[in-house]
Amino acid sequence: MNAEGLLRGVRAELDEGGLVGSILVRDLRTGVEIGLEPDLEFPIASLVKIPLAAATLDRVRRGELDGATPVEVPPGRATTPGPTGLSRFRHPARVAVDDLLYLSMSISDSVAADVLFGLTPPAEVTRRMREWGLHGIAVRHGLRELGETPAERFESDQVHLAHSLAIAAGTAGRGHPVPQLDVTRGNSGSARAFVDLLQALWTPSRIDGGVAARVRELMGLNLLRQRLAPDFSSDASTWSSKTGTLLNLRHEAGVVEHADGRAYAVAVLTESRVPAVSQPEAESLMAGAARALRDHLRRS
């Protein structure tokens, strides 16, 4: 099947499953890529933790921060389903900067990420991205804001109503009355912007080699593997990634490295028209679409 026919089929499958998607897959050796709406902007949810980790590690490299420094973290006391890690602690903790990075990336601990944002504010993360020649990702706020959506105002058996609001209230220009879902007010980016970031982390770039290596290691330690990992992990390949989830948004960005030396950067950003919290079919559709595009490049 040619690329045009493949993309038409992928778009139809996503649409049938209630998903709008932005996907880009790039061969990191040749630069050849294939994508579906790769420049469409989305609120990026926890994908923001990738540039946060890179910027924090760069500050450690420059001596502006010490990775061994312990930071006092108050208990999160989260009671709603979803949050992990420090957000569920009942007592204050002292956690080193290096360990906060691990928690932020491996289990997507948003309290850990917010402590890091307290050390390296959003504007500084964006500034370093621009310094590295990376554009298209805007970091405007920390992660606490992601826990202040309409979903937190409903009982667990009514959270679907928050999803209905998220689906119905968006504008054609990607605006939204929920600030975190408005690409002009929240953290935002595109599949292309994240593939560019992944390429800068996996191949020589303006990002320091040691910083890039540590970010790659942290992404390889990601424990959330229900989305794209089933289609990209095998005995002959490794999948290193970060997921992002917020209301009706489901994202993942990562790199699959094959035993033959070929590597592909993959970014999938989606929003669902289905007002439901649990959507395993959406996860499967995302993975199938991304793999189909990767397979196309691998056969080229």
Side-chain angles (χ1 to χ4, degrees):
M1 183 184 298
N2 62 28
E4 184 178 342
L6 172 62
L7 292 173
R8 188 165 53 247
V10 166
R11 188 192 303 273
E13 286 187 6
L14 292 175
D15 183 65
E16 186 175 352
L19 291 178
V20 173
S22 173
I23 308 174
L24 187 65
V25 181
R26 180 182 297 163
D27 187 327
L28 293 180
R29 182 181 64 181
T30 66
V32 176
E33 62 184 33
I34 182 171
L36 178 70
E37 302 286 356
D39 298 302
L40 187 62
E41 273 194 287
F42 281 81
I44 56 177
S46 285
L47 292 187
V48 75
K49 293 168 185 171
I50 306 174
L52 171 63
T56 302
L57 286 163
D58 194 55
R59 295 194 65 207
V60 171
R61 177 186 70 86
R62 294 171 185 249
E64 299 169 12
L65 295 173
D66 184 344
T69 299
V71 182
E72 294 285 343
V73 183
R77 298 185 182 277
T79 58
T80 57
T84 58
L86 294 169
S87 63
R88 296 200 173 273
F89 276 31
R90 294 176 176 269
H91 306 283
R94 298 176 79 239
V95 186
V97 170
D98 278 339
D99 295 326
L100 290 168
L101 283 162
Y102 166 72
L103 291 172
S104 172
M105 294 292 284
S106 69
I107 61 171
S108 205
D109 187 330
S110 290
V111 169
D114 264 338
V115 175
L116 294 173
F117 268 127
L119 300 172
T120 305
E124 177 62 16
V125 176
T126 297
R127 188 191 70 78
R128 292 195 185 232
M129 291 279 289
R130 303 299 178 260
E131 186 179 273
W132 293 328
L134 297 167
H135 301 273
I137 297 173
V139 183
R140 299 185 175 101
H141 58 74
L143 277 294
R144 181 176 60 85
E145 287 84 347
L146 299 188
E148 297 176 347
T149 71
E152 284 66 44
R153 299 170 194 166
F154 291 97
E155 297 297 326
S156 59
D157 61 347
Q158 295 182 316
V159 175
H160 66 280
L161 298 175
H163 286 250
S164 296
L165 171 63
I167 293 164
T171 70
R174 313 294 290 166
H176 205 285
V178 177
Q180 301 90 328
L181 299 179
D182 187 325
V183 298
T184 66
R185 292 186 287 169
N187 298 329
S188 63
S190 65
R192 184 178 303 283
F194 274 95
V195 165
D196 288 344
L197 174 56
L198 293 171
Q199 181 164 358
L201 291 167
W202 257 261
T203 64
S205 71
R206 296 184 196 175
I207 300 177
D208 175 77
V211 169
R214 179 58 177 154
V215 176
R216 294 196 301 269
E217 180 182 15
L218 289 169
M219 292 179 69
L221 295 171
N222 179 18
L223 296 177
L224 304 179
R225 305 183 68 80
Q226 80 282 9
R227 197 158 285 168
L228 302 189
D231 276 69
F232 287 113
S233 298
S234 73
D235 289 347
S237 64
T238 59
W239 173 245
S240 305
S241 72
K242 181 73 195 73
T243 58
T245 309
L246 177 65
L247 292 173
N248 64 323
L249 303 175
R250 288 170 179 77
H251 309 325
E252 188 159 358
V255 171
V256 57
E257 299 173 84
H258 297 281
D260 63 5
R262 298 184 74 175
Y264 300 85
V266 180
V268 184
L269 283 64
T270 71
E271 60 184 18
S272 174
R273 299 190 303 273
V274 180
V277 176
S278 179
Q279 296 187 45
E281 183 170 341
E283 316 272 2
S284 178
L285 282 171
M286 291 172 63
R291 178 162 181 168
L293 299 193
R294 190 286 313 266
D295 289 348
H296 178 83
L297 288 186
R298 196 157 167 77
R299 289 192 296 266
S300 301

